[in-house]
Amino acid sequence: MTKSQKWVSFLILSMTGGVIYQVAYIRFVFLGPTAQALDLSAQDYANIVSVFGIVAMVMYFFGGWFADKFSPKVLVVAALVGTGAADLYLGTVPGYWGVLAAHVLMAVMGMGLYWSALVKAIGMLGDSSEQGRLFGFLEGVRGVTSTVVGFVGTAVVAASVAEAAGVLWLIRLYGILCFVYAVLVWLFVKGDERRLAGLGSSTVTLRQLGRAARNKYTWLIGGTVMLMYCFYTTLGYFSPLLEHRYGMAAALIGVIGVVRTYVFQFVAGPAGGVVVDKVTRSTPRFLRWMFVGCAAVALLFLVLPRDSAFKWAALALMFALCLLVFASRGVYWAQVGEVEVPENERGGVIGLASGLAYLPDAFLPTVSAWWIGDPSAKPAVPEHGGGYTTLFLFLLAMALLGVGLTTLTDRTRRRELAARTPRTVPETAPVTP
């Protein structure tokens, strides 16, 4: 494989990450319009998204097995084709059960076939000295691609007479893009089979999971990520808050959604890594400060009047929260190496911790939709159980738990390091006769 082939392969593979998940997570940019486009109530759409989260969580455990049994290139192509077909099927507005089936298929394709295969495909493009650079640039290219595609999507929706109709065309466009990238991967992506064989197995065995369950860091790290992921999962529900409670212009909501979801991804993530390396020199310590910031933002949202006079303050608070959340997302798995989980246990620890970490996707969309209601529905669906007040109280509680959990992780690690350090025994003064 020549150098040019390597970088062409890398760019195409990285760009697929900015396309394949667009429809599955379109709610982060167009929450209400997507439900309307698919002819669903906000609650029904949230329930479907929660099912997607459950299937995705299960598929993370099977992804390694697929990546070991089949060619990564073939799996990436199959995932893109399957996702593209699901997107185009959604474009026909197939009804509740059809939308549900499409989301289940997207979860199987995206988390079962695609993700572990992509990791292996990127890994075989370089030797051990290039892995950090390859995966660092992978996130950057994914972020840029997602941002560009997101802004194009916002323009498509803005140009439509009705937002819902624009979202429907956007879903179809994303489906077509998946097919285009499937062809590009098939024609232009090359691989080094020798390096691929050297990457080893990605399958997480039951024995590994058993060992991981007995490792305290599995639960400390998984719990930390889960608590921060609660904030990430609810970011999409800030759109109706800004529009219907703070009077933000509907035309701005899509642009704000793209900035919130994609721009912060490739800006805040690397920044978080730099702060960990240069300032805190400890990921748990850094995450503790991120949770403190999240708690402050949730508290300010609780006391900020929900009135159009405060819309720019609300927008600034939301962007501050995005900065904290995406800075955390860029580093929280670094804890696995930092606490020195043994190499032969890392697959199990990451697998089990991931199952815990992404648990909010399985229930929080449904609960959040019930809390906030749907003011745009006809007739409007009212808030339940305290509405946004309950949502921010929940997030405040998650942030405070996060402060406690990261503090516990930091202290546990320091105790371990202190136990390794040999104690110096003071020299005794010679006894004079």
Side-chain angles (χ1 to χ4, degrees):
M1 184 168 51
T2 65
K3 191 172 183 180
S4 61
Q5 287 177 325
K6 167 185 168 179
W7 287 109
V8 167
S9 298
F10 172 77
L11 284 173
I12 292 174
L13 286 170
S14 299
M15 291 172 74
T16 62
V19 173
I20 193 169
Y21 296 119
Q22 288 290 337
V23 175
Y25 293 101
I26 197 171
R27 68 185 187 278
F28 285 102
V29 181
F30 302 106
L31 179 63
T34 302
Q36 295 169 16
L38 297 175
D39 198 22
L40 299 171
S41 69
Q43 188 66 63
D44 282 345
Y45 180 53
N47 294 343
I48 288 172
V49 168
S50 289
V51 172
F52 169 86
I54 294 170
V55 177
M57 186 171 58
V58 173
M59 284 296 109
Y60 275 117
F61 292 100
F62 289 95
W65 183 87
F66 283 115
D68 288 344
K69 296 294 182 184
F70 303 99
S71 160
K73 175 178 174 178
V74 171
L75 287 176
V76 170
V77 170
L80 286 164
V81 170
T83 302
D87 294 350
L88 293 179
Y89 178 62
L90 281 176
T92 66
V93 192
Y96 179 88
W97 294 108
V99 174
L100 177 62
H103 277 76
V104 169
L105 179 60
M106 286 190 291
V108 173
M109 296 292 111
M111 284 66 179
L113 269 62
Y114 175 79
W115 183 247
S116 292
L118 177 70
V119 170
K120 275 213 162 183
I122 293 293
M124 71 179 177
L125 294 177
D127 57 31
S128 58
S129 66
E130 297 176 285
Q131 295 301 301
R133 185 163 64 251
L134 284 171
F135 283 98
F137 279 110
L138 167 64
E139 284 302 305
V141 174
R142 285 179 64 203
V144 171
T145 305
S146 297
T147 302
V148 172
V149 171
F151 276 124
V152 170
T154 303
V156 170
V157 174
S160 303
V161 176
E163 274 190 313
V167 168
L168 213 53
W169 279 108
L170 184 57
I171 289 172
R172 296 165 184 153
L173 175 62
Y174 289 151
I176 293 170
L177 280 175
C178 283
F179 281 106
V180 169
Y181 274 101
V183 173
L184 291 176
V185 171
W186 185 257
L187 293 178
F188 297 108
V189 169
K190 308 296 180 183
D192 187 327
E193 296 300 322
R194 178 180 55 82
R195 284 180 179 160
L196 177 61
L199 292 175
S201 174
S202 301
T203 304
V204 178
T205 65
L206 290 176
R207 180 176 295 179
Q208 287 176 311
L209 290 176
R211 283 201 301 265
R214 295 189 294 272
N215 189 320
K216 56 184 174 295
Y217 286 115
T218 300
W219 307 103
L220 290 171
I221 294 172
T224 298
V225 180
M226 180 191 71
L227 293 169
M228 186 57 76
Y229 201 73
C230 287
F231 285 88
Y232 176 75
T233 303
T234 54
L235 284 177
Y237 295 93
F238 282 74
S239 291
L241 172 68
L242 291 173
E243 182 177 358
H244 300 294
R245 296 293 182 268
Y246 287 101
M248 191 70 69
L252 287 176
I253 296 298
V255 175
I256 291 169
V258 172
V259 173
R260 177 183 62 213
T261 308
Y262 302 126
V263 173
F264 280 96
Q265 178 184 7
F266 68 84
V267 172
V274 171
V275 173
V276 169
D277 288 343
K278 303 296 184 182
V279 182
T280 66
R281 302 187 185 279
S282 165
T283 303
R285 209 169 299 152
F286 171 78
L287 291 172
R288 180 169 59 207
W289 285 110
M290 296 300 99
F291 277 117
V292 169
C294 288
V297 171
L299 185 59
L300 288 170
F301 264 118
L302 279 170
V303 300
L304 186 70
R306 288 170 200 148
D307 184 88
S308 59
F310 297 92
K311 64 182 176 184
W312 299 114
L315 181 62
L317 282 175
M318 187 199 70
F319 280 157
L321 183 63
C322 291
L323 181 65
L324 296 166
V325 170
F326 282 97
S328 301
R329 276 170 58 88
V331 301
Y332 48 44
W333 289 115
Q335 295 178 95
V336 175
E338 192 173 305
V339 301
E340 297 179 297
V341 173
E343 288 283 351
N344 63 344
E345 293 183 24
R346 289 189 182 184
V349 168
I350 292 174
L352 188 55
S354 296
L356 176 62
Y358 300 120
L359 189 60
D361 263 346
F363 71 91
L364 205 45
T366 291
V367 176
S368 298
W370 185 78
W371 278 333
I372 71 173
D374 186 8
S376 63
K378 293 182 174 42
V381 178
E383 293 181 351
H384 299 93
Y388 278 105
T389 298
T390 302
L391 175 61
F392 290 123
L393 283 171
F394 170 79
L395 292 177
L396 177 60
M398 297 301 101
L400 294 176
L401 285 172
V403 171
L405 207 56
T406 49
T407 300
L408 178 60
T409 304
D410 187 38
R411 289 180 179 176
T412 301
R413 180 60 181 162
R414 280 191 288 173
R415 280 197 300 268
E416 287 182 347
L417 293 175
R420 291 186 197 171
T421 306
R423 296 181 180 179
T424 57
V425 180
E427 294 183 7
T428 56
V431 178
T432 56

